[in-house]
Amino acid sequence: MIDLYTWTTPNGRKISIMLEELGLPYEVHPVNIGKDEQFAPDFLKISPNNKIPAIVDRETGVSVFESGAILIYLAEKTGSSLLPTDAPQRAKTIEWLMFQMGGVGPMFGQFYHFASSAREPIPYAVTRYREESKRLLGVMNKRLAEADYLAGEYSIADIATYPWVKALSSRFEEFGLTDNDISSVVAWLERVGARGAVKKGMEVPAV
């Protein structure tokens, strides 16, 4: 059994999707970041960075924080093909996972913050993160014109990236993009989003 500490964010939904894909039993512990529940002392013991998601594996006693690390841990725990053992394909999968961790997540997140949540308008920040998000979508579109999935086969790289791109898909027009401009990304969103495990994982936690 996996204890999943999560909230209704793209980072949190990466892990619920992964658990659904693997068919692992898990118990959801919602951590309402809008109420600062991530700063509770008990949660700090599991996630030293005070951020969701985090897991505790009851079978091994291992706790893991940071979504990319959790995806790798769960894939290795189960021997899942979502993280291949073949060295070249494993490297390809991890590089696209890191593309999400270092690019898509932070840049999309900063765009959303400055465009929607900042206490005062900062046009430079909105433009900076919008243009970088647009560039990253272009990188993805080029890659997905070559392959159905980021690493070639469906993998933890797609699981990590899908919730972020889905979250901002309604705002592509703000980037000056039409569906035709990033048609390969749009097709990938439909392909990944049609998976049963993805549909279920995107509804966790139920609040």
Side-chain angles (χ1 to χ4, degrees):
M1 176 69 74
I2 301 293
D3 287 301
L4 170 61
Y5 297 82
T6 189
W7 193 239
T8 58
T9 70
N11 281 336
R13 284 169 171 159
K14 297 175 188 178
I15 310 308
S16 49
I17 290 172
M18 181 66 168
L19 288 165
E20 291 290 345
E21 289 283 6
L22 296 173
L24 287 175
Y26 66 101
E27 183 174 339
V28 178
H29 304 273
V31 180
N32 189 332
I33 61 177
K35 296 181 179 179
D36 290 338
E37 291 179 358
Q38 72 271 29
F39 297 108
D42 286 346
F43 184 63
L44 177 63
K45 296 175 184 178
I46 301 167
S47 180
N49 198 27
N50 291 115
K51 291 185 180 295
I52 62 93
I55 65 166
V56 176
D57 185 342
R58 294 186 196 176
E59 182 181 1
T60 63
V62 171
S63 63
V64 188
F65 72 103
E66 288 295 335
S67 59
I70 297 170
L71 291 172
I72 292 171
Y73 174 82
L74 292 173
E76 291 183 337
K77 172 185 172 68
T78 58
S80 171
S81 61
L82 293 169
L83 179 58
T85 56
D86 171 72
Q89 189 59 32
R90 182 183 178 88
K92 181 67 67 178
T93 301
I94 291 176
E95 72 180 1
W96 282 103
L97 174 64
M98 294 302 109
F99 171 81
Q100 188 285 312
M101 298 295 297
V104 170
M107 296 301 105
F108 282 26
Q110 291 295 338
F111 167 74
Y112 182 83
H113 173 78
F114 284 108
S116 303
S117 304
R119 294 178 181 178
E120 58 185 69
I122 306 175
Y124 171 79
V126 174
T127 300
R128 165 77 175 88
Y129 292 114
R130 182 182 63 231
E131 292 306 305
E132 180 60 8
S133 296
K134 180 178 179 179
R135 187 190 71 81
L136 292 167
L137 285 168
V139 173
M140 284 187 62
N141 197 63
K142 182 178 180 180
R143 170 57 181 161
L144 291 167
E146 304 168 345
D148 285 344
Y149 300 101
L150 290 170
E153 301 294 331
Y154 182 69
S155 72
I156 59 173
D158 302 287
I159 292 172
T161 309
Y162 174 82
W164 277 103
V165 180
K166 180 63 175 177
L168 261 69
S169 60
S170 64
R171 307 187 71 158
F172 286 166
E173 288 186 4
E174 296 179 45
F175 300 163
L177 295 170
T178 67
D179 285 357
N180 287 335
D181 294 325
I182 50 170
S183 58
S184 295
V185 170
V186 172
W188 171 84
L189 279 172
E190 294 176 353
R191 193 158 47 244
V192 176
R195 298 178 67 90
V198 174
K199 292 179 180 178
K200 291 179 180 179
M202 288 292 286
E203 297 299 320
V204 176
V207 296

